[in-house]
């Protein structure tokens, strides 16, 4: 019997039963879950789909990509400290708007504060449907969800299904790279400035986060 080498498994590759994409999500439950939510809230005049996620920003920063002269390497700043903050955000592409809190911690109490803020951002008379991952603070039994919000959890190992992920990349490439921070307060201020800059770009959230497969299942 001839022994053959076996390639080691890539730890970043999800198990077969957890792999999926937009098609599998549509077939497997998003459309059905949307139907359940709409039937459970007949009082709602309309429904808004929000995409929610968190982004860590801090001294352990990153460099970004820039156009530069061929054959030359541009120089940029990169912090090597360990202080950080979190942008807890959500966007509604259909309305081209978003809401966020910048916190120095990320846990269930912080998420409760954010959901209360998000509940106030939903249009009057509407019901917000929030797409989010299954982080521990998102699934805690102590999570307080406002009455005008319903949560839909995305499959594991599928950040590409969450539209707001593209927004984090846009912010990092344009506002949150090549930064050096002296204090956590500076990190918080920079995150707030970046988010407000984003909201000032009319059409940016809609263009980055309008996923066709979400629009199809929500029609």
């Amino acid at each position: 019997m001839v022994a053959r080498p076996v390639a080691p498994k890539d730890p970043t590759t999800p198990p077969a039963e957890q792999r999926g994409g937009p098609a599998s999500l549509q077939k497997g439950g998003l459309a059905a879950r949307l139907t359940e939510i709409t039937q459970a809230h007949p009082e709602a005049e309309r429904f808004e789909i929000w995409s929610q996620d968190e982004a860590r920003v801090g001294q352990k920063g990153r460099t970004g990509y820039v156009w530069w002269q061929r054959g030359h390497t541009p120089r940029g700043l990169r912090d090597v400290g360990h202080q950080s903050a979190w942008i807890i955000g959500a966007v509604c592409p259909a309305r081209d708007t978003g809401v966020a809190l910048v916190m120095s911690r990320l846990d269930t109490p912080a998420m409760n504060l954010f959901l209360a803020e998000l509940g106030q951002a939903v249009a009057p008379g509407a019901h917000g449907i929030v797409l989010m991952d299954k982080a521990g603070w998102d699934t805690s039994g102590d999570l307080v969800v406002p009455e005008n919000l319903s949560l839909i959890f995305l499959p594991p190992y599928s950040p590409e299904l969450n539209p707001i992920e593209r927004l984090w990349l846009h912010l990092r490439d344009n506002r949150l790279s090549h930064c050096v921070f002296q204090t956590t307060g500076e990190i918080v201020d920079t995150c707030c400035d970046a988010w407000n800059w984003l909201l000032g770009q009319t059409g940016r959230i809609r263009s980055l986060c309008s996923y066709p497969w979400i629009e199809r299942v929500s029609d």
Side-chain angles (χ1 to χ4, degrees):
M1 183 175 181
V2 179
R4 294 181 175 85
V6 178
K9 292 184 177 180
D10 183 352
T12 63
T13 302
E17 67 273 9
Q18 292 181 330
R19 298 189 190 118
S24 63
L25 185 57
Q26 291 177 66
K27 295 178 182 177
L30 180 56
R33 180 73 177 114
L34 289 174
T35 299
E36 291 177 3
I37 294 173
T38 55
Q39 292 178 348
H41 296 278
E43 78 286 353
E45 298 174 4
R46 59 187 179 280
F47 293 86
E48 300 176 350
I49 294 184
W50 290 74
S51 169
Q52 189 278 328
D53 194 34
E54 309 86 32
R56 178 186 173 277
V57 180
Q59 290 179 323
K60 190 63 71 176
R62 68 188 288 273
T63 56
Y65 293 98
V66 297
W67 290 101
W68 203 255
Q69 184 178 354
R70 182 184 294 272
H72 296 265
T73 302
R75 295 181 178 272
L77 299 174
R78 184 178 183 184
D79 212 332
V80 293
H82 297 281
Q83 298 183 65
S84 62
W86 293 86
I87 305 176
I88 311 174
V91 293
C92 179
R95 290 178 52 200
D96 191 36
T97 190
V99 61
L101 292 181
V102 180
M103 308 284 288
S104 59
R105 70 180 196 279
L106 182 56
D107 50 22
T108 300
M111 184 57 61
N112 284 337
L113 288 174
F114 173 74
L115 288 178
E117 194 77 14
L118 177 56
Q120 297 181 33
V122 173
H127 188 89
I129 298 172
V130 188
L131 305 178
M132 59 201 314
D133 59 27
K134 291 185 177 181
W137 44 81
D138 294 337
T139 58
S140 168
D142 296 327
L143 197 67
V144 179
V145 182
E147 293 184 357
N148 66 336
L149 296 180
S150 294
L151 311 183
I152 292 182
F153 296 105
L154 297 170
Y157 302 101
S158 56
E160 73 280 1
L161 298 181
N162 200 342
I164 198 174
E165 293 283 357
R166 297 184 65 188
L167 209 62
W168 299 143
L169 183 61
H170 177 70
L171 285 175
R172 293 188 191 281
D173 282 347
N174 290 278
R175 305 290 290 193
L176 299 176
S177 296
H178 302 290
C179 298
V180 175
F181 304 105
Q182 300 300 321
T183 65
T184 303
E186 287 185 13
I187 301 173
V188 171
D189 289 342
T190 300
C191 290
C192 292
D193 291 343
W195 186 264
N196 291 331
W197 167 81
L198 172 72
L199 294 182
Q201 293 185 299
T202 303
R204 180 66 67 181
I205 292 175
R206 180 180 291 112
S207 66
L208 287 175
C209 302
S210 295
Y211 278 22
W213 67 270
I214 294 179
E215 295 176 355
R216 284 196 296 268
V217 298
S218 60
D219 286 341

